[in-house]
Amino acid sequence: EHSTERVTVALDPYDTPAKAKIFNEKYNEIGFLPVLMVITNDSDQAISLADVKPEYVTQDRTKMQPASEDDLARRISRPSARTAPSPLPFPTRKVKGGMRHEIRDEIHNSRFAAMAVEPHTTQAGFLFFDISGISAPLAGAHFYLTGVRDANDKELMYFDVSLDDYL
């Protein structure tokens, strides 16, 4: 919370099966951690999120940016070519995989995409971080948010949220 600027950032990791039930896709099973980010602006002027930079930093100081919609689509679709020999004399390889339209819409509609937060309002959405290969992604982790600007285009002090406190 930045009490002087009256802006608050809150995070809620969706790391449990009970929380993850809101999604059609099981993001945790494919190596992504959905994190709900909520930004509240209690000031009398709008704040800009056009240059915002969210960053997830693990316990061993690995820095990660949120996954793009394309990153999520690639992991979900998991395309694989059929390698069984074809009875036809010419080579054919059909790539199986793809992403259902409802999953594509879910990703598009749930992602944090706000460019500003009007006075006395809140914006929220999900950021998806690739945590594949990390055994305890929240232990000792931090979330940094920079690039939040006030109505005078002055950058606010960065936000530092300890995810270890969540545990």
Side-chain angles (χ1 to χ4, degrees), residues 11-14 27-28 30-37 53-58 62-68 71-72 75 111 125-132 134 137-138 142-145 163:
L11 300 174
D12 188 11
Y14 276 54
Y27 297 103
N28 291 336
I30 60 169
F32 285 103
L33 174 65
V35 177
L36 177 63
M37 181 171 72
K53 181 183 172 192
E55 190 173 62
Y56 178 88
V57 182
T58 64
T62 302
K63 296 178 181 180
M64 292 184 265
Q65 306 300 318
S68 69
D71 294 335
L72 290 163
R75 182 82 54 88
R111 292 199 54 197
F126 283 91
L127 303 172
F128 296 87
F129 293 99
D130 185 351
I131 56 162
S132 55
I134 301 174
L138 297 175
H142 281 263
F143 175 84
Y144 296 101
L145 186 67
L163 295 174

Side-chain angles (χ1 to χ4, degrees), residues 14-67:
Y14 276 54
D15 61 331
T16 64
K19 284 183 175 181
K21 284 182 182 179
I22 68 163
F23 295 115
N24 292 317
E25 181 66 39
K26 295 178 180 174
Y27 297 103
N28 291 336
E29 290 181 9
I30 60 169
F32 285 103
L33 174 65
V35 177
L36 177 63
M37 181 171 72
V38 180
I39 301 178
T40 301
N41 178 8
D42 289 325
S43 74
D44 294 328
Q45 298 181 353
I47 58 170
S48 171
L49 304 176
D51 298 324
V52 77
K53 181 183 172 192
E55 190 173 62
Y56 178 88
V57 182
T58 64
Q59 184 175 16
D60 67 352
R61 304 219 192 299
T62 302
K63 296 178 181 180
M64 292 184 265
Q65 306 300 318

